[in-house]
Amino acid sequence: MRIPQLTCLALILFCLNASAERIHLTNIKAYSHDGKQLHQLDQLLFDADTGLILEVNDNNLTDARRVDGQGQVVLPGLHDAHGHILNYGLSRLLVDLRGFESLEDTVEHARAYAADNPDFPWVLGRGWNQVLWADKAFPSRYDLDAISKDKPIWLERIDGHAGWANSKALELAGINRETAKGNDLILKDAEGVPTGILIDNAMYLMEKQVPAITEHMKRKAIELAFADLAAVGLTFVHDAGIGEANYRLFEEMAKQQHMPIRVYAMLASGDPAFQDLVKRGHLNIDNHLIIRSVKLMIDGALGSYGAIMHEPYSDQPDKHGAYVQTPEQIKAALDFLVQHDFQANVHAIGDRGNTEVIDLLARPLMQSSKLRHRVEHAQILRLNDIIRFKEHDLIASMQPTHATSDMNMAEDRVGPERIKGAYAWQKLFQAGVVIASGSDFPVELINPFHGIHAAVTRQNHDNQPAGGWYANEAMTVEQALQSFTINAAFAAHAESFSGSLDPGKQADFIVIDQDIMRINPELIWKTRVLETWVGGQQIHRVDKQ
Ligand SMILES: [Zn+2]
């Protein structure tokens, strides 16, 4: 493992009492895009108290504490313009047992997790694989009883086709020697006693006992997500659809100042409380939680033939896709939300889905230039619709890693003509459209450097395909940075305080271990974030190893 560069900046700043202090970072190599052009800065002065950037590139600053940045590379804090914070956090909340190569290590990991989360009513997890273990035998309830006999434990196998329970969980599910008789999907020992392994349909016996996720677990999930997001350099995440319960949790956390990064949350239009939440009006808590937009969804995804296409799928001529919300439903929701000055962020993947969404958003009453409506994904576009994005001031909220994840499938689905308007970042840039970039985590990984890499190379991490997949649509590194910073800030009505390193904006920045403007683009995904700062406060750093 590579030892990270000594984070002198962090160590020095860590020792400072940061209260009421101006910090003058000198000798840095910072890049910042203002929406028009890229700037390189070698210093940054900010007030740790107000969180604001005071000056950049001014040598005559004397009343601040100087900190030598030792030539390290600094970027504005990155945005993810489309992610799902709670879902990601929930996926992190369960214990992940993938890759452990012995029963002992697997059990030990589950034990450590149980000890770290004493307040969870169940120990839940997945990913174990006995094929990786020496004797390849299924484990038993007694292995887990060694962790706890009082708290139920239920761990799914890596493929989801088997589960492993301890004695308490079996007891709660009513699975014993008698009830298991005659059910071959409940594994039993020589005496007919269930071993704790349940296969396929027998897993339902357990799953119906597992309690719903509690509010407390959700909050914990969000906290885990925030820590992970900060660690990969994201200081601002646009959450693509929250329901009422999530709204309350975010609001509570922001009021308690327990929201280390900034969140621009879209209200899920499918939530029963959506209209009431819109009627509450815009919410902005300290520029950390901003709610003034609604997520809608016209179609599904390309891989599952859910994206709505003008013409049939090339590889399934009887399929056109299917509406998630019909144009009529979307129109009604749009008419309601513009009355309340809310921005519409409409998921559209297929070319017809996009045409229909653009038709609806292009109506004068939508006040698009003021409300900055967005099309989420904008994945397959007719060439004429690319022009219409610009004509009607619509923002394309796109996910560069979707292109590299989909590239083996997309052309099968849409054929050689329609692919020309697919993931067409450069055509959109050339047309003058604002592209805001994100990942759609947890569908993709959270790391924005994977996104910048995919945007610039249109290759996977093995540098395939050679030269890049439809490389004419690749972004330059500058465009990619722009789309992950200032453009995304614009798409969140947040460019007055976020998205670039300029005086008057919040000091949200990251320190990274390599110069992404200079290195071979194939290496960009390996970039490590050494420090993350939000509002002049350090919220993450890599410890010296
Ligand atoms: Zn999404």
Side-chain angles (χ1 to χ4, degrees):
M1 187 181 157
R2 212 156 56 88
I3 303 296
Q5 221 176 323
L6 177 64
T7 57
C8 307
L9 189 57
L11 294 175
I12 295 164
L13 291 179
F14 194 69
C15 300
L16 299 175
N17 174 0
S19 67
E21 181 163 43
R22 294 171 159 208
I23 296 173
H24 184 189
L25 287 184
T26 60
N27 189 19
I28 55 172
K29 199 169 170 191
Y31 298 103
S32 172
H33 204 295
D34 64 10
K36 293 190 176 70
Q37 58 182 340
L38 187 76
H39 299 275
Q40 192 173 331
L41 325 168
D42 56 15
Q43 45 192 316
L44 186 66
L45 178 79
F46 61 93
D47 187 318
D49 221 24
T50 63
L52 296 177
I53 297 172
L54 302 170
E55 294 286 350
V56 294
N57 279 350
D58 186 339
N59 270 313
N60 304 316
L61 301 164
T62 48
D63 66 335
R65 187 181 297 259
R66 279 179 170 255
V67 177
D68 184 350
Q70 309 209 337
Q72 293 194 94
V73 181
V74 171
L75 299 178
L78 299 176
H79 280 240
D80 188 314
H82 185 125
H84 301 272
I85 295 169
L86 177 60
N87 281 349
Y88 169 78
L90 289 174
S91 76
R92 279 278 281 101
L93 202 56
L94 309 181
V95 58
D96 180 358
L97 300 171
R98 284 175 298 173
F100 289 101
E101 294 182 354
S102 72
L103 171 63
E104 291 71 30
D105 286 353
T106 307
V107 170
E108 185 48 41
H109 193 68
R111 180 205 308 278
Y113 168 87
D116 285 346
N117 297 284
D119 39 358
F120 291 174
W122 282 59
V123 177
L124 300 172
R126 61 184 155 210
W128 59 273
N129 185 359
Q130 86 286 1
V131 171
L132 302 177
W133 306 343
D135 64 1
K136 302 189 177 5
F138 271 124
S140 84
R141 62 200 287 176
Y142 308 110
D143 301 313
L144 295 180
D145 287 350
I147 299 174
S148 178
K149 287 183 175 151
D150 307 320
K151 183 180 281 199
I153 304 176
W154 174 240
L155 307 170
E156 283 188 24
R157 193 173 181 277
I158 187 156
D159 62 359
H161 287 278
W164 174 20
N166 70 343
S167 296
K168 185 69 184 179
L170 291 170
E171 179 194 322
L172 290 172
I175 297 171
N176 53 44
R177 183 200 288 258
E178 275 63 50
T179 60
K181 260 183 203 151
N183 188 339
D184 292 343
L185 298 175
I186 299 174
L187 301 194
K188 294 173 274 285
D189 64 17
E191 276 79 52
V193 176
T195 66
I197 298 294
L198 310 180
I199 310 286
D200 284 326
N201 280 342
M203 295 169 70
Y204 291 121
L205 299 171
M206 189 60 66
E207 280 156 14
K208 66 185 187 199
Q209 298 303 320
V210 175
I213 309 260
T214 61
E215 289 299 294
H216 171 74
M217 289 177 84
K218 284 182 188 165
R219 178 157 174 152
K220 194 118 180 181
I222 292 168
E223 286 168 358
L224 280 172
F226 284 155
D228 284 2
L229 296 165
V232 295
L234 292 168
T235 60
F236 209 141
V237 170
H238 307 197
D239 193 312
I242 61 164
E244 186 180 18
N246 198 161
Y247 184 114
R248 306 273 173 215
L249 267 176
F250 275 168
E251 187 180 24
E252 174 186 293
M253 293 173 83
K255 283 183 175 161
Q256 294 168 345
Q257 299 187 319
H258 286 165
M259 197 170 252
I261 64 169
R262 305 181 197 278
V263 174
Y264 186 75
M266 313 172 197
L267 301 173
S269 56
D271 189 86
F274 137 72
Q275 295 211 346
D276 292 336
L277 295 175
V278 170
K279 285 178 190 161
R280 286 188 68 183
H282 292 183
L283 181 73
N284 183 338
I285 300 175
D286 305 332
N287 285 340
H288 266 264
L289 174 64
I290 301 168
I291 299 180
R292 53 176 300 173
S293 70
V294 174
K295 166 85 180 297
L296 302 113
M297 204 161 170
I298 196 164
D299 62 358
L302 196 62
S304 51
Y305 303 95
I308 296 207
M309 303 300 295
H310 284 286
E311 304 297 331
Y313 278 87
S314 300
D315 57 351
Q316 285 277 341
D318 59 330
K319 290 198 167 77
H320 279 82
Y323 288 119
V324 173
Q325 292 172 305
T326 65
E328 294 70 34
Q329 288 170 323
I330 290 177
K331 179 170 178 293
L334 291 177
D335 292 356
F336 167 75
L337 64 88
V338 293
Q339 280 171 27
H340 294 84
D341 254 0
F342 270 60
Q343 175 196 45
N345 302 334
V346 193
H347 164 123
I349 293 202
D351 58 6
R352 183 167 149 210
N354 275 280
T355 300
E356 291 180 341
V357 167
I358 294 168
D359 288 345
L360 289 168
L361 294 178
R363 297 173 300 148
L365 75 87
M366 292 305 297
Q367 310 172 64
S368 211
S369 60
K370 175 184 141 207
L371 292 175
R372 304 182 186 175
H373 302 306
R374 305 164 41 161
V375 179
E376 301 298 315
H377 309 303
Q379 211 165 82
I380 316 288
L381 300 175
R382 282 191 161 178
L383 299 182
N384 181 48
D385 281 337
I386 290 177
I387 311 299
R388 295 210 299 156
F389 263 88
K390 175 62 184 169
E391 274 172 13
H392 300 291
D393 297 310
L394 301 175
I395 295 167
S397 167
M398 304 182 79
Q399 299 75 33
T401 42
H402 279 352
T404 47
S405 297
D406 293 356
M407 61 190 176
N408 293 325
M409 162 276 284
E411 191 158 351
D412 293 346
R413 296 284 186 279
V414 304
E417 261 318 297
R418 291 181 290 188
I419 201 75
K420 292 174 187 163
Y423 319 86
W425 311 318
Q426 199 52 247
K427 287 192 186 78
L428 285 157
F429 262 109
Q430 294 308 322
V433 177
V434 174
I435 297 182
S437 284
S439 66
D440 207 3
F441 67 74
V443 177
E444 305 279 356
L445 299 176
I446 57 175
N447 190 331
F449 290 95
H450 292 197
I452 295 174
H453 170 264
V456 174
T457 65
R458 292 181 68 112
Q459 290 178 324
N460 65 21
H461 294 179
D462 298 321
N463 311 319
Q464 296 301 316
W469 183 66
Y470 290 98
N472 55 313
E473 296 298 347
M475 299 186 204
T476 64
V477 190
E478 289 181 23
Q479 288 171 329
L481 180 66
Q482 181 186 356
S483 73
F484 276 96
T485 55
I486 189 70
N487 283 9
F490 178 82
H493 293 270
E495 76 281 7
S496 65
F497 66 89
S498 170
S500 64
L501 301 174
D502 282 305
K505 292 199 183 190
Q506 290 286 328
D508 295 357
F509 62 91
I510 59 176
V511 181
I512 56 177
D513 73 338
Q514 53 181 357
D515 184 346
I516 61 167
M517 294 291 165
R518 301 266 180 274
I519 58 170
N520 180 341
E522 288 174 355
L523 302 174
I524 289 175
W525 66 273
K526 295 183 175 172
T527 303
R528 282 163 43 95
V529 175
L530 305 175
E531 301 170 35
T532 304
W533 293 72
V534 172
Q537 302 292 321
Q538 189 182 66
I539 60 164
H540 161 79
R541 72 180 170 124
V542 173
D543 285 318
K544 203 179 131 198
Q545 301 186 2

